[in-house]
Amino acid sequence: MKIIIVGAGEVGYNIASRLASENKQVIVIDKNPDAVRRLSERLDVQVILASGSNPKTLIDAGIKETDILLAVTDSDETNLVTCLMADLISPTTKKLARIRNSDFDSYYDRFKKENPHIDTIINPEIEVVNTIKRLMVVPGAVDVGDFADGRVKYVGIRLDRHSPMAGMKLFDFSLKFGEDRPLIAAIIRNNEVIVPKGDNNIESGDLIYFVSETEKLEKMLTLFGKKIIPIQRALIIGGGRIGERLAKSFETDSIKTKIIESDIGRCHYLSERMEKTVVLHGDGSDQKLFLEENCGQNDVVVSVTNDDETNILVSLLAKNMGVKNTITRIGKSTYFPLLATIGIEKVVSPRLSAVSSILKEVRKGKVLSDMSILGGRGEFIEAIALETSDITDQPLKKISFPKGAILVCILRNGQIMIPAGNSVVNPNDRIIMFAVKHAVKKLEKLLTVKLDFF
C-alpha cells in the first residue's frame, strides 16, 4: 500500500511513524525544512521538501500510483486544494483531509459528492468534544469509546482495592460473575500493556480496559466501585475552537456552563455566539479567579487551551479544590507517560483523535472503527468478519492469533458473545479486537480476504 501524507506536523509525523512501522510505503510532503528534516532523521519514510498542493509535486511523488492521500497540514485551505489537485490528477486515489474550521461544517457533504470528492473528512476537534462528553459521564474512567453505533463501549478504569475483582484471576470471573462478567481487553501495570490470559491476576492499582454493552454499563461499573453521575455544572478553560464547540454542546444538553478565556477579543466573539454560557475574561490558571468562581462546585472542569502546561496546572488546581472530574487537553505525546504519576488520567488529544480516524481508513479488511489508546501503544479495532478471511469458520483455538492481540467480543444478530476457545466467528459477524502496536500488522492479515479484495 502506497500512502502520500501532505503535512509533517504532529499529526503527519505520528501517522507516518505508525504506518512506516507496519512496513507501508509512505511519502511525506511538507514545505517546512525543519519538519522535513525531523522526519528524515527519525523515520524510514521518503520525504519531499515542497508544497503538497502543487500539482507537479504530487505527480513527482507518484500520486497516480498512490492508494491513499492524507492532507493533514495545519491549513484547511491547503488541505482542500491538495485534495482538489489530487482528484484532477488521480481520481481513483482515496482522499482524506483534516478540516477544523467550523465554518466549513455545512459543506462536508458537498466536499464528498462534488469536487474535490474527499472520501473522508477528519475533524479531530469534533472527535475531542465527543470524547470529553463520554469521559464526563463516568467520573472514575480514564478512557471511554463507542462501538457498534453506541451499543457497546470500552472503558479504561483504575482498579481500587475495594473492588470485588481485586486479586482475582481472570478464569475465576465466570464462576463469580456469570454472564455479566466484564470482558477484559487489556491490563496496564507499571506502564506495561498486558494482553490478558485466563491465569492473569488483576491487582489493585491496575488500569483495566473492559468492553460492555452500553445498557449494562452502569451495572458493570459497580464491580469497579464506580457509578455514572449526571453533569449539571461545567467549567471550561479555553475558549478556542474546542471550547466553543464543547460549550454549544453543553447548552444543547442543558448543562450550566462557564468559559474562562484569556483573550478579550475572543471573549467578545464567544459572548455573541453563545446563548446561555457565561463567558469570563481571565487567566484560567489563576487560583484567585478559581476561588471567586467557586470552581469546586462544578461537576466537571475541562481545560482545553492551546498550552499543555496551562492545562496541566488548571487540572491540578481544580483537583486541589475538590473537583474529582477533570479532563485535560494534551498535545505533546512526550507528556503522556508522566501524567498519571501526578494524578492526571483523563486526557484528550486532537492528535490522537486524528490518528485514530485516519487508521480506520487505512487498515485493510472491513474495519469500522480503530481507536488508539495509551498514547498509541494499543488499538481497539472493530471490523466485519469477511467470508474468506482466516478468522472465520473455525474454532478460535485453532486460529493463530498474533502475540499481543486478543478477540474481545463477537456481535451477532444484536447479541454480544464472550469468545471462548470453541467459539467460531461467522462471516458478517462484527468483531472487536485489541492489539498492542507491534501485533497490528499480523492482525490485519486475519481480517483480509485471501486475495486481498475488500
Side-chain angles (χ1 to χ4, degrees):
M1 178 180 285
K2 180 177 178 179
I3 300 167
I4 292 178
I5 302 173
V6 177
E10 281 296 310
V11 172
Y13 177 90
N14 281 278
I15 197 66
S17 176
R18 292 292 293 275
L19 297 177
S21 70
E22 298 169 19
N23 298 322
K24 290 182 170 62
Q25 183 183 356
V26 179
I27 299 172
V28 182
I29 304 172
D30 199 296
K31 60 183 179 182
N32 184 324
D34 293 333
V36 168
R37 188 181 307 111
R38 178 192 180 202
L39 263 80
S40 63
E41 291 175 351
R42 299 184 184 181
L43 303 180
D44 184 18
V45 299
Q46 181 183 342
V47 296
I48 298 175
L49 179 62
S51 170
S53 60
N54 184 296
K56 185 177 185 304
T57 301
L58 291 173
I59 292 171
D60 290 344
I63 187 66
K64 293 181 181 179
E65 299 81 40
T66 296
D67 300 289
I68 299 175
L69 169 80
L70 308 176
V72 292
T73 75
D74 288 334
S75 167
D76 292 346
E77 291 78 10
T78 298
N79 296 337
L80 286 169
V81 173
T82 299
C83 289
L84 175 62
M85 297 314 304
D87 189 54
L88 292 174
I89 300 167
S90 179
T92 59
T93 297
K94 189 175 184 179
K95 296 173 289 298
L96 286 74
R98 182 171 71 158
I99 300 176
R100 298 180 295 173
N101 193 323
S102 60
D103 292 339
F104 287 117
D105 287 1
S106 60
Y107 294 91
Y108 282 7
D109 285 342
R110 294 188 65 181
F111 287 155
K112 292 179 180 181
K113 296 175 182 177
E114 305 171 20
N115 289 336
H117 296 113
I118 301 172
D119 297 274
T120 302
I121 293 173
I122 300 159
N123 190 324
E125 291 163 1
I126 292 177
E127 291 303 315
V128 165
V129 168
N130 292 337
T131 301
I132 290 171
K133 294 185 70 177
R134 290 193 297 264
L135 284 171
M136 283 167 36
V137 177
V138 188
V142 304
D143 199 358
V144 181
D146 288 330
F147 299 116
D149 305 316
R151 290 183 290 122
V152 179
K153 291 187 183 296
Y154 77 81
V155 180
I157 205 159
R158 186 74 63 181
L159 193 70
D160 61 42
R161 57 189 177 87
H162 301 295
S163 169
M165 288 184 283
M168 287 184 62
K169 289 187 180 293
L170 291 181
F171 54 55
D172 292 330
F173 274 33
S174 179
L175 182 62
K176 187 173 179 70
F177 305 118
E179 289 298 318
D180 289 331
R181 64 187 183 275
L183 306 177
I184 306 297
I187 302 168
I188 292 79
R189 182 180 301 152
N190 299 324
N191 214 29
E192 178 187 355
V193 183
I194 302 169
V195 176
K197 298 179 180 178
D199 59 352
N200 282 125
N201 278 63
I202 59 173
E203 302 173 1
S204 173
D206 287 349
L207 177 57
I208 307 294
Y209 275 84
F210 70 92
V211 174
S212 169
E213 290 181 71
T214 300
E215 62 183 29
K216 294 181 179 179
L217 179 60
E218 193 161 2
K219 181 179 179 181
M220 200 71 66
L221 288 170
T222 61
L223 300 178
F224 292 87
K226 310 294 182 183
K227 62 180 180 179
I228 294 175
I229 299 176
I231 302 296
Q232 297 178 328
R233 298 169 63 91
L235 176 63
I236 301 171
I237 311 300
R241 288 194 293 256
I242 292 177
E244 179 186 353
R245 285 182 183 273
L246 189 60
K248 286 182 177 179
S249 180
F250 285 174
E251 287 184 343
T252 302
D253 296 337
S254 299
I255 297 173
K256 294 180 180 178
T257 306
K258 291 181 181 179
I259 293 180
I260 297 178
E261 166 58 40
S262 59
D263 184 283
I264 188 63
R266 185 68 180 176
C267 286
H268 292 315
Y269 168 85
L270 291 170
S271 297
E272 294 173 357
R273 298 286 289 258
M274 298 297 161
E275 296 180 9
K276 301 175 184 177
T277 301
V278 176
V279 180
L280 302 172
H281 176 237
D283 180 356
S285 60
D286 184 350
Q287 190 169 8
K288 182 180 177 182
L289 180 58
F290 263 39
L291 289 169
E292 290 174 354
E293 295 301 323
N294 298 314
C295 170
Q297 294 183 3
N298 290 282
D299 299 310
V300 63
V301 173
V302 186
S303 188
V304 288
T305 75
N306 290 319
D307 185 85
D308 288 353
E309 289 77 13
T310 297
N311 294 335
I312 291 170
L313 180 57
V314 165
S315 293
L316 292 175
L317 283 173
K319 283 181 174 292
N320 191 51
M321 297 180 70
V323 180
K324 295 181 179 179
N325 201 359
T326 63
I327 301 172
T328 314
R329 172 188 174 174
I330 296 295
K332 298 175 184 175
S333 55
T334 51
Y335 282 153
F336 281 95
L338 308 174
L339 296 173
T341 62
I342 59 173
I344 295 177
E345 292 198 303
K346 287 195 175 190
V347 176
V348 293
S349 166
R351 175 185 63 78
L352 282 183
S353 295
V355 169
S356 291
S357 298
I358 291 167
L359 286 175
K360 179 182 73 172
E361 303 299 331
V362 172
R363 292 276 173 251
K364 293 184 178 180
K366 198 170 182 180
V367 174
L368 302 176
S369 61
D370 188 308
M371 302 182 190
S372 294
I373 66 169
L374 306 168
R377 289 183 295 152
E379 288 180 34
F380 278 102
I381 299 174
E382 178 188 10
I384 299 294
L386 299 175
E387 186 173 359
T388 61
S389 64
D390 288 335
I391 204 169
T392 58
D393 293 334
Q394 57 180 322
L396 293 177
K397 62 185 179 183
K398 293 186 177 182
I399 296 175
S400 180
F401 266 84
K403 185 178 180 180
I406 184 173
L407 177 62
V408 180
C409 69
I410 303 167
L411 291 85
R412 182 181 301 155
N413 299 324
Q415 298 296 314
I416 295 180
M417 303 165 57
I418 302 174
N422 292 321
S423 300
V424 176
V425 175
N426 293 339
N428 298 315
D429 282 351
R430 279 197 189 206
I431 50 177
I432 298 172
M433 296 153 291
F434 175 79
V436 295
K437 185 177 179 180
H438 67 78
V440 170
K441 183 182 177 183
K442 292 181 180 178
L443 190 62
E444 263 190 309
K445 293 181 179 179
L446 280 179
L447 300 175
T448 312
V449 295
K450 300 212 171 43
L451 294 179
D452 205 17
F453 291 125
F454 58 92

PDB file of all heavy atoms in Angstrom, residues 37-64:
ATOM      1  N   ARG A  37      13.224  17.671   7.887  1.00  0.00           N
ATOM      2  CA  ARG A  37      14.463  17.139   8.451  1.00  0.00           C
ATOM      3  C   ARG A  37      14.167  16.211   9.626  1.00  0.00           C
ATOM      4  O   ARG A  37      14.793  15.148   9.777  1.00  0.00           O
ATOM      5  CB  ARG A  37      15.361  18.286   8.904  1.00  0.00           C
ATOM      6  CG  ARG A  37      16.761  17.840   9.339  1.00  0.00           C
ATOM      7  CD  ARG A  37      17.606  19.013   9.807  1.00  0.00           C
ATOM      8  NE  ARG A  37      17.634  20.086   8.817  1.00  0.00           N
ATOM      9  CZ  ARG A  37      17.054  21.275   8.998  1.00  0.00           C
ATOM     10  NH1 ARG A  37      16.408  21.536  10.114  1.00  0.00           N
ATOM     11  NH2 ARG A  37      17.129  22.195   8.052  1.00  0.00           N
ATOM     12  N   ARG A  38      13.217  16.600  10.455  1.00  0.00           N
ATOM     13  CA  ARG A  38      12.841  15.773  11.613  1.00  0.00           C
ATOM     14  C   ARG A  38      12.386  14.384  11.166  1.00  0.00           C
ATOM     15  O   ARG A  38      12.787  13.361  11.736  1.00  0.00           O
ATOM     16  CB  ARG A  38      11.734  16.472  12.389  1.00  0.00           C
ATOM     17  CG  ARG A  38      11.199  15.713  13.595  1.00  0.00           C
ATOM     18  CD  ARG A  38       9.931  16.371  14.095  1.00  0.00           C
ATOM     19  NE  ARG A  38       9.355  15.689  15.252  1.00  0.00           N
ATOM     20  CZ  ARG A  38       8.090  15.782  15.613  1.00  0.00           C
ATOM     21  NH1 ARG A  38       7.243  16.532  14.915  1.00  0.00           N
ATOM     22  NH2 ARG A  38       7.640  15.142  16.669  1.00  0.00           N
ATOM     23  N   LEU A  39      11.550  14.334  10.133  1.00  0.00           N
ATOM     24  CA  LEU A  39      11.070  13.043   9.642  1.00  0.00           C
ATOM     25  C   LEU A  39      12.187  12.218   9.035  1.00  0.00           C
ATOM     26  O   LEU A  39      12.294  11.014   9.289  1.00  0.00           O
ATOM     27  CB  LEU A  39       9.953  13.255   8.607  1.00  0.00           C
ATOM     28  CG  LEU A  39       8.534  13.137   9.138  1.00  0.00           C
ATOM     29  CD1 LEU A  39       8.112  14.408   9.830  1.00  0.00           C
ATOM     30  CD2 LEU A  39       7.571  12.793   8.017  1.00  0.00           C
ATOM     31  N   SER A  40      13.001  12.851   8.218  1.00  0.00           N
ATOM     32  CA  SER A  40      14.055  12.102   7.515  1.00  0.00           C
ATOM     33  C   SER A  40      15.074  11.526   8.493  1.00  0.00           C
ATOM     34  O   SER A  40      15.655  10.472   8.229  1.00  0.00           O
ATOM     35  CB  SER A  40      14.752  13.003   6.492  1.00  0.00           C
ATOM     36  OG  SER A  40      15.398  14.094   7.128  1.00  0.00           O
ATOM     37  N   GLU A  41      15.288  12.201   9.622  1.00  0.00           N
ATOM     38  CA  GLU A  41      16.267  11.733  10.604  1.00  0.00           C
ATOM     39  C   GLU A  41      15.717  10.631  11.500  1.00  0.00           C
ATOM     40  O   GLU A  41      16.482   9.795  11.997  1.00  0.00           O
ATOM     41  CB  GLU A  41      16.750  12.909  11.460  1.00  0.00           C
ATOM     42  CG  GLU A  41      17.605  13.927  10.705  1.00  0.00           C
ATOM     43  CD  GLU A  41      17.966  15.129  11.546  1.00  0.00           C
ATOM     44  OE1 GLU A  41      17.412  15.248  12.671  1.00  0.00           O
ATOM     45  OE2 GLU A  41      18.783  15.960  11.091  1.00  0.00           O
ATOM     46  N   ARG A  42      14.387  10.619  11.710  1.00  0.00           N
ATOM     47  CA  ARG A  42      13.825   9.706  12.706  1.00  0.00           C
ATOM     48  C   ARG A  42      13.021   8.549  12.115  1.00  0.00           C
ATOM     49  O   ARG A  42      12.852   7.524  12.769  1.00  0.00           O
ATOM     50  CB  ARG A  42      12.924  10.491  13.669  1.00  0.00           C
ATOM     51  CG  ARG A  42      13.652  11.583  14.440  1.00  0.00           C
ATOM     52  CD  ARG A  42      12.717  12.248  15.424  1.00  0.00           C
ATOM     53  NE  ARG A  42      13.347  13.371  16.111  1.00  0.00           N
ATOM     54  CZ  ARG A  42      12.746  14.103  17.045  1.00  0.00           C
ATOM     55  NH1 ARG A  42      11.497  13.829  17.392  1.00  0.00           N
ATOM     56  NH2 ARG A  42      13.384  15.097  17.626  1.00  0.00           N
ATOM     57  N   LEU A  43      12.496   8.711  10.907  1.00  0.00           N
ATOM     58  CA  LEU A  43      11.592   7.696  10.363  1.00  0.00           C
ATOM     59  C   LEU A  43      12.107   7.163   9.031  1.00  0.00           C
ATOM     60  O   LEU A  43      12.786   7.866   8.274  1.00  0.00           O
ATOM     61  CB  LEU A  43      10.183   8.284  10.159  1.00  0.00           C
ATOM     62  CG  LEU A  43       9.487   8.892  11.367  1.00  0.00           C
ATOM     63  CD1 LEU A  43       8.119   9.416  10.957  1.00  0.00           C
ATOM     64  CD2 LEU A  43       9.356   7.892  12.494  1.00  0.00           C
ATOM     65  N   ASP A  44      11.738   5.915   8.747  1.00  0.00           N
ATOM     66  CA  ASP A  44      12.108   5.291   7.481  1.00  0.00           C
ATOM     67  C   ASP A  44      11.018   5.570   6.442  1.00  0.00           C
ATOM     68  O   ASP A  44      10.254   4.683   6.049  1.00  0.00           O
ATOM     69  CB  ASP A  44      12.278   3.784   7.683  1.00  0.00           C
ATOM     70  CG  ASP A  44      12.770   3.087   6.414  1.00  0.00           C
ATOM     71  OD1 ASP A  44      13.296   3.781   5.523  1.00  0.00           O
ATOM     72  OD2 ASP A  44      12.607   1.863   6.321  1.00  0.00           O
ATOM     73  N   VAL A  45      10.936   6.848   6.038  1.00  0.00           N
ATOM     74  CA  VAL A  45       9.955   7.260   5.030  1.00  0.00           C
ATOM     75  C   VAL A  45      10.651   8.170   4.017  1.00  0.00           C
ATOM     76  O   VAL A  45      11.688   8.756   4.297  1.00  0.00           O
ATOM     77  CB  VAL A  45       8.763   8.021   5.671  1.00  0.00           C
ATOM     78  CG1 VAL A  45       8.030   7.141   6.668  1.00  0.00           C
ATOM     79  CG2 VAL A  45       9.221   9.312   6.344  1.00  0.00           C
ATOM     80  N   GLN A  46      10.053   8.260   2.834  1.00  0.00           N
ATOM     81  CA  GLN A  46      10.556   9.191   1.833  1.00  0.00           C
ATOM     82  C   GLN A  46       9.985  10.571   2.117  1.00  0.00           C
ATOM     83  O   GLN A  46       8.791  10.711   2.407  1.00  0.00           O
ATOM     84  CB  GLN A  46      10.147   8.730   0.435  1.00  0.00           C
ATOM     85  CG  GLN A  46      10.655   9.637  -0.691  1.00  0.00           C
ATOM     86  CD  GLN A  46      10.175   9.188  -2.059  1.00  0.00           C
ATOM     87  OE1 GLN A  46       9.746   8.042  -2.227  1.00  0.00           O
ATOM     88  NE2 GLN A  46      10.234  10.071  -3.044  1.00  0.00           N
ATOM     89  N   VAL A  47      10.816  11.613   2.049  1.00  0.00           N
ATOM     90  CA  VAL A  47      10.333  12.975   2.309  1.00  0.00           C
ATOM     91  C   VAL A  47      10.604  13.857   1.101  1.00  0.00           C
ATOM     92  O   VAL A  47      11.593  13.674   0.380  1.00  0.00           O
ATOM     93  CB  VAL A  47      10.984  13.571   3.571  1.00  0.00           C
ATOM     94  CG1 VAL A  47      10.582  12.790   4.813  1.00  0.00           C
ATOM     95  CG2 VAL A  47      12.501  13.618   3.456  1.00  0.00           C
ATOM     96  N   ILE A  48       9.704  14.807   0.890  1.00  0.00           N
ATOM     97  CA  ILE A  48       9.843  15.761  -0.215  1.00  0.00           C
ATOM     98  C   ILE A  48       9.639  17.164   0.353  1.00  0.00           C
ATOM     99  O   ILE A  48       8.609  17.442   0.989  1.00  0.00           O
ATOM    100  CB  ILE A  48       8.822  15.491  -1.329  1.00  0.00           C
ATOM    101  CG1 ILE A  48       9.048  14.097  -1.935  1.00  0.00           C
ATOM    102  CG2 ILE A  48       8.898  16.570  -2.404  1.00  0.00           C
ATOM    103  CD1 ILE A  48       7.985  13.707  -2.970  1.00  0.00           C
ATOM    104  N   LEU A  49      10.605  18.043   0.149  1.00  0.00           N
ATOM    105  CA  LEU A  49      10.506  19.430   0.598  1.00  0.00           C
ATOM    106  C   LEU A  49       9.853  20.251  -0.508  1.00  0.00           C
ATOM    107  O   LEU A  49      10.503  20.654  -1.475  1.00  0.00           O
ATOM    108  CB  LEU A  49      11.893  19.979   0.937  1.00  0.00           C
ATOM    109  CG  LEU A  49      11.960  21.432   1.411  1.00  0.00           C
ATOM    110  CD1 LEU A  49      11.183  21.615   2.715  1.00  0.00           C
ATOM    111  CD2 LEU A  49      13.416  21.878   1.586  1.00  0.00           C
ATOM    112  N   ALA A  50       8.564  20.453  -0.379  1.00  0.00           N
ATOM    113  CA  ALA A  50       7.805  21.177  -1.403  1.00  0.00           C
ATOM    114  C   ALA A  50       6.389  21.421  -0.885  1.00  0.00           C
ATOM    115  O   ALA A  50       6.018  20.963   0.194  1.00  0.00           O
ATOM    116  CB  ALA A  50       7.767  20.384  -2.708  1.00  0.00           C
ATOM    117  N   SER A  51       5.603  22.120  -1.668  1.00  0.00           N
ATOM    118  CA  SER A  51       4.198  22.342  -1.336  1.00  0.00           C
ATOM    119  C   SER A  51       3.361  21.164  -1.831  1.00  0.00           C
ATOM    120  O   SER A  51       3.375  20.844  -3.016  1.00  0.00           O
ATOM    121  CB  SER A  51       3.695  23.637  -1.974  1.00  0.00           C
ATOM    122  OG  SER A  51       2.282  23.741  -1.853  1.00  0.00           O
ATOM    123  N   GLY A  52       2.631  20.534  -0.924  1.00  0.00           N
ATOM    124  CA  GLY A  52       1.825  19.373  -1.295  1.00  0.00           C
ATOM    125  C   GLY A  52       0.620  19.700  -2.140  1.00  0.00           C
ATOM    126  O   GLY A  52       0.018  18.804  -2.744  1.00  0.00           O
ATOM    127  N   SER A  53       0.233  20.982  -2.206  1.00  0.00           N
ATOM    128  CA  SER A  53      -0.907  21.355  -3.042  1.00  0.00           C
ATOM    129  C   SER A  53      -0.486  21.672  -4.475  1.00  0.00           C
ATOM    130  O   SER A  53      -1.334  21.952  -5.327  1.00  0.00           O
ATOM    131  CB  SER A  53      -1.624  22.575  -2.437  1.00  0.00           C
ATOM    132  OG  SER A  53      -0.743  23.689  -2.349  1.00  0.00           O
ATOM    133  N   ASN A  54       0.806  21.610  -4.751  1.00  0.00           N
ATOM    134  CA  ASN A  54       1.308  21.878  -6.095  1.00  0.00           C
ATOM    135  C   ASN A  54       1.133  20.634  -6.961  1.00  0.00           C
ATOM    136  O   ASN A  54       1.592  19.551  -6.592  1.00  0.00           O
ATOM    137  CB  ASN A  54       2.797  22.268  -6.008  1.00  0.00           C
ATOM    138  CG  ASN A  54       3.377  22.668  -7.348  1.00  0.00           C
ATOM    139  OD1 ASN A  54       3.450  21.847  -8.261  1.00  0.00           O
ATOM    140  ND2 ASN A  54       3.792  23.911  -7.470  1.00  0.00           N
ATOM    141  N   PRO A  55       0.506  20.742  -8.126  1.00  0.00           N
ATOM    142  CA  PRO A  55       0.244  19.550  -8.952  1.00  0.00           C
ATOM    143  C   PRO A  55       1.520  18.838  -9.399  1.00  0.00           C
ATOM    144  O   PRO A  55       1.568  17.613  -9.450  1.00  0.00           O
ATOM    145  CB  PRO A  55      -0.538  20.101 -10.143  1.00  0.00           C
ATOM    146  CG  PRO A  55      -0.297  21.575 -10.137  1.00  0.00           C
ATOM    147  CD  PRO A  55      -0.081  21.954  -8.724  1.00  0.00           C
ATOM    148  N   LYS A  56       2.573  19.599  -9.717  1.00  0.00           N
ATOM    149  CA  LYS A  56       3.831  18.960 -10.139  1.00  0.00           C
ATOM    150  C   LYS A  56       4.429  18.137  -8.997  1.00  0.00           C
ATOM    151  O   LYS A  56       4.949  17.034  -9.220  1.00  0.00           O
ATOM    152  CB  LYS A  56       4.829  20.015 -10.602  1.00  0.00           C
ATOM    153  CG  LYS A  56       6.113  19.410 -11.166  1.00  0.00           C
ATOM    154  CD  LYS A  56       7.062  20.483 -11.686  1.00  0.00           C
ATOM    155  CE  LYS A  56       8.294  19.870 -12.353  1.00  0.00           C
ATOM    156  NZ  LYS A  56       9.025  18.945 -11.464  1.00  0.00           N
ATOM    157  N   THR A  57       4.341  18.670  -7.773  1.00  0.00           N
ATOM    158  CA  THR A  57       4.855  17.935  -6.613  1.00  0.00           C
ATOM    159  C   THR A  57       4.122  16.607  -6.454  1.00  0.00           C
ATOM    160  O   THR A  57       4.738  15.557  -6.201  1.00  0.00           O
ATOM    161  CB  THR A  57       4.699  18.772  -5.331  1.00  0.00           C
ATOM    162  OG1 THR A  57       5.398  20.007  -5.477  1.00  0.00           O
ATOM    163  CG2 THR A  57       5.240  18.024  -4.124  1.00  0.00           C
ATOM    164  N   LEU A  58       2.800  16.639  -6.587  1.00  0.00           N
ATOM    165  CA  LEU A  58       2.001  15.417  -6.446  1.00  0.00           C
ATOM    166  C   LEU A  58       2.336  14.407  -7.542  1.00  0.00           C
ATOM    167  O   LEU A  58       2.440  13.200  -7.275  1.00  0.00           O
ATOM    168  CB  LEU A  58       0.511  15.761  -6.471  1.00  0.00           C
ATOM    169  CG  LEU A  58      -0.023  16.533  -5.260  1.00  0.00           C
ATOM    170  CD1 LEU A  58      -1.467  16.960  -5.497  1.00  0.00           C
ATOM    171  CD2 LEU A  58       0.075  15.686  -3.994  1.00  0.00           C
ATOM    172  N   ILE A  59       2.511  14.904  -8.758  1.00  0.00           N
ATOM    173  CA  ILE A  59       2.857  13.996  -9.860  1.00  0.00           C
ATOM    174  C   ILE A  59       4.226  13.372  -9.623  1.00  0.00           C
ATOM    175  O   ILE A  59       4.419  12.164  -9.796  1.00  0.00           O
ATOM    176  CB  ILE A  59       2.818  14.757 -11.206  1.00  0.00           C
ATOM    177  CG1 ILE A  59       1.372  15.152 -11.550  1.00  0.00           C
ATOM    178  CG2 ILE A  59       3.417  13.905 -12.329  1.00  0.00           C
ATOM    179  CD1 ILE A  59       1.252  16.091 -12.738  1.00  0.00           C
ATOM    180  N   ASP A  60       5.203  14.194  -9.209  1.00  0.00           N
ATOM    181  CA  ASP A  60       6.549  13.681  -8.946  1.00  0.00           C
ATOM    182  C   ASP A  60       6.550  12.669  -7.801  1.00  0.00           C
ATOM    183  O   ASP A  60       7.365  11.733  -7.778  1.00  0.00           O
ATOM    184  CB  ASP A  60       7.498  14.833  -8.600  1.00  0.00           C
ATOM    185  CG  ASP A  60       7.790  15.733  -9.803  1.00  0.00           C
ATOM    186  OD1 ASP A  60       7.508  15.298 -10.936  1.00  0.00           O
ATOM    187  OD2 ASP A  60       8.276  16.866  -9.591  1.00  0.00           O
ATOM    188  N   ALA A  61       5.631  12.851  -6.839  1.00  0.00           N
ATOM    189  CA  ALA A  61       5.552  11.928  -5.703  1.00  0.00           C
ATOM    190  C   ALA A  61       4.879  10.612  -6.078  1.00  0.00           C
ATOM    191  O   ALA A  61       4.891   9.663  -5.285  1.00  0.00           O
ATOM    192  CB  ALA A  61       4.792  12.584  -4.551  1.00  0.00           C
ATOM    193  N   GLY A  62       4.270  10.574  -7.267  1.00  0.00           N
ATOM    194  CA  GLY A  62       3.628   9.338  -7.727  1.00  0.00           C
ATOM    195  C   GLY A  62       2.179   9.227  -7.315  1.00  0.00           C
ATOM    196  O   GLY A  62       1.705   8.132  -6.984  1.00  0.00           O
ATOM    197  N   ILE A  63       1.435  10.330  -7.390  1.00  0.00           N
ATOM    198  CA  ILE A  63       0.043  10.323  -6.943  1.00  0.00           C
ATOM    199  C   ILE A  63      -0.804   9.342  -7.760  1.00  0.00           C
ATOM    200  O   ILE A  63      -1.753   8.736  -7.239  1.00  0.00           O
ATOM    201  CB  ILE A  63      -0.561  11.757  -7.017  1.00  0.00           C
ATOM    202  CG1 ILE A  63      -1.958  11.794  -6.385  1.00  0.00           C
ATOM    203  CG2 ILE A  63      -0.606  12.258  -8.450  1.00  0.00           C
ATOM    204  CD1 ILE A  63      -1.993  11.548  -4.917  1.00  0.00           C
ATOM    205  N   LYS A  64      -0.449   9.107  -9.026  1.00  0.00           N
ATOM    206  CA  LYS A  64      -1.252   8.221  -9.867  1.00  0.00           C
ATOM    207  C   LYS A  64      -1.140   6.753  -9.443  1.00  0.00           C
ATOM    208  O   LYS A  64      -2.012   5.947  -9.784  1.00  0.00           O
ATOM    209  CB  LYS A  64      -0.821   8.369 -11.338  1.00  0.00           C
ATOM    210  CG  LYS A  64      -1.146   9.734 -11.929  1.00  0.00           C
ATOM    211  CD  LYS A  64      -0.718   9.831 -13.386  1.00  0.00           C
ATOM    212  CE  LYS A  64      -1.029  11.205 -13.967  1.00  0.00           C
ATOM    213  NZ  LYS A  64      -0.607  11.330 -15.384  1.00  0.00           N
TER     214      LYS A  64
END
